[in-house]
Amino acid sequence: MPDVLGQNFIAGTRSASGEPKLKSIDASTGEPLPFTFYQATEAEVDTAAKAAEAVFPEFRQLSPTRRAEFLDAIADELDALGDDFVAIVCQETALPAGRIQGERGRTSGQMRLFAKILRRGDFLGARIDLPLPERKPLPRVDLRQARIGVGPVAVFGASNFPLAFSTAGGDTASALAAGCPVIVKAHSGHMATADQVASAIIRAAEKTGMPKGVFSMIFGNGVGETLVKHPSIQAVGFTGSLGGGTALCKMAAERPTPIPVFAEMSSINPVVILPQALKVRSETIATELAASVVLGAGQFCTNPGVVIGISSPEFSQFLEQLQGQFGNQNPQTMLNAGGLRSYEKGVQHLLSHPGVTHLAGKPQEGKQAQAQLFKADVSVLLSGDPLLQEEVFGPTTLVIEVADDAQLKAALLALRGQLTATLIGELEDLQTYNWLVPVLEQKVGRILVNGYPTGVEVSDAMVHGGPFPATSDSRGTSVGTLAIDRYLRPVCYQNYPDALLPPALQNANPLGLQRLVNGEWSSLPIA
């Protein structure tokens, strides 16, 4: 193995020839693609982690403007990836070219968004309490607070978003913006894609003169545990299954020095359809809901997995319309064979449950996923049966009919933490059922009205998180500018000479920040 300490590198692309080979797979055919990678060794993981630790002090102390230049350069490199790159991603994921091109734009866009946040500077959280030497009974000393990066971050990419939630996704963008070096564990479902994107990041680092070791990537099975347990790693970003996320949380908590894991894991995203809306537009709701469920073969963490409505003739009519929509869906190729097997297993569990009825959908067979619609008795949910709480990752949803408002509230309270909840209703509904909002606020990170949760805007106000098991830490978000908060911690400077303070806290305010000075917001220099 070459000595790569102090360099940006990709471990697993040039390992010793004796290491196990890893093949990239065509998602549509199951055949190997002409890309070979290698299982990263523990020595390579150690090298990457130590390089990140060594470079962290220099990288985090770069000015926000310098780090912004780096993120902008990554965005430029991603945009420059051409049709050959798009073709590779399509082969590895079976996603259409239009989806990949759009996702590439989203990925470069969020890099530029975090560059904007760096230039804006509010992420530093500058707070200043000036001294009060005459205060009685005791004087107040000079206190100043700003936030710094926590240290090297391990990032685990998602299968369903090979660009926006993977190698250069939101975890990587926000961690780099915070001043944290990043080591990415490449997802096994799109290794060639990961390699191309990682190379783009490395080119951007070199073009902008970033310190060596600021970014690395590793390939292979089992290397994630080695990475998370490495003492140089100070935080983890993860998007994936509940089992994978909880395993990483356990590893991180059992370290001699525990570290936070920000895992986005499992959600069934309830959709509540209110009575007046069914009277006015039930057929439209059935069409739109079905389209959201089957979008992208249902492979979204915000996929509507459970639909709840109050028993009525209108609700019965809606169910018939929804059955018709699901009965007309074409099968779709999923991201990989493992995802299809998992989907088939989830569908089979629902089919075999005595409290669940199959309403629509062709038999699951062959190499594509068939859309499925189920109905469960509300008693199954209220009894605490875990089956209805488990995400079936694919084009399926489950309907629950409740008797009245009291049972609706009980059903929502029985749900575990979710990423989203949706209310479909007319203005009259929303006024009558306004009591639902505080219930949902306790359960989810995002409440939608008359929309569908598939599709997550990257913006300042977005929250893509929620109570466990949607995420491992509901105080943060993995999408939107608030994501940077996960990789920052506050430091207080007491009685420091002005010239030695971080620029964000100096009297002259050289960064031009809005700062909380003696309890009042101000961008003025301190005289």
Side-chain angles (χ1 to χ4, degrees), residues 160-172:
N160 58 333
F161 280 87
L163 304 181
F165 277 83
S166 289
T167 306
D171 284 331
T172 297

Side-chain angles (χ1 to χ4, degrees), residues 378-389 414:
V378 66
S379 62
V380 180
L381 177 62
L382 297 179
S383 70
D385 191 316
L387 180 66
L388 300 194
Q389 305 273 8

Side-chain angles (χ1 to χ4, degrees), residues 11-46:
T13 55
R14 50 181 182 272
S15 298
S17 60
E19 290 298 317
K21 293 182 178 180
L22 308 169
K23 296 296 293 185
S24 180
I25 301 298
D26 188 305
S28 296
T29 66
E31 297 298 320
L33 293 170
F35 307 107
T36 299
F37 302 92
Y38 296 87
Q39 175 78 29
T41 65
E42 287 192 11
E44 286 177 317
V45 177
D46 181 64

Side-chain angles (χ1 to χ4, degrees), residues 432-452:
T432 302
Y433 286 89
N434 193 48
W435 58 266
L436 284 172
V437 176
V439 175
L440 297 177
E441 286 172 339
Q442 292 297 110
K443 291 289 182 178
V444 310
R446 178 165 57 115
I447 303 173
L448 298 85
V449 171
N450 290 328
Y452 296 91

Side-chain angles (χ1 to χ4, degrees), residues 169-221:
D171 284 331
T172 297
S174 55
L176 292 175
C180 301
V182 169
I183 303 172
V184 171
K185 161 62 174 68
H187 195 281
S188 60
H190 47 254
M191 291 184 289
T193 300
D195 178 45
Q196 294 266 323
V197 175
S199 296
I201 296 174
I202 290 172
R203 287 195 299 272
E206 293 170 347
K207 287 180 179 179
T208 54
M210 288 297 107
K212 301 297 184 183
V214 72
F215 175 85
S216 300
M217 190 168 72
I218 59 175
F219 293 85
N221 302 312

Side-chain angles (χ1 to χ4, degrees), residues 428-498:
E428 176 186 337
D429 287 320
L430 299 175
Q431 292 170 335
T432 302
Y433 286 89
N434 193 48
W435 58 266
L436 284 172
V437 176
V439 175
L440 297 177
E441 286 172 339
Q442 292 297 110
K443 291 289 182 178
V444 310
R446 178 165 57 115
I447 303 173
L448 298 85
V449 171
N450 290 328
Y452 296 91
T454 41
V456 183
E457 183 71 23
V458 183
S459 68
D460 288 322
M462 176 53 64
V463 173
H464 190 62
F468 186 88
T471 62
S472 58
D473 190 329
S474 62
R475 295 168 296 178
T477 174
S478 61
V479 178
T481 59
L482 195 65
I484 195 173
D485 285 9
R486 300 171 299 165
Y487 305 119
L488 294 167
R489 66 178 182 86
V491 176
C492 180
Y493 303 82
Q494 182 170 325
N495 282 347
Y496 255 65
D498 183 69

Side-chain angles (χ1 to χ4, degrees), residues 125-161:
R127 295 169 174 243
I128 298 174
D129 295 322
L130 295 173
L132 298 173
E134 305 302 322
R135 191 183 67 174
K136 303 298 182 182
L138 294 172
R140 184 173 78 187
V141 297
D142 187 287
L143 297 168
R144 307 191 183 207
Q145 181 193 120
R147 301 196 296 175
I148 67 170
V150 298
V153 174
V155 170
F156 292 75
S159 65
N160 58 333
F161 280 87

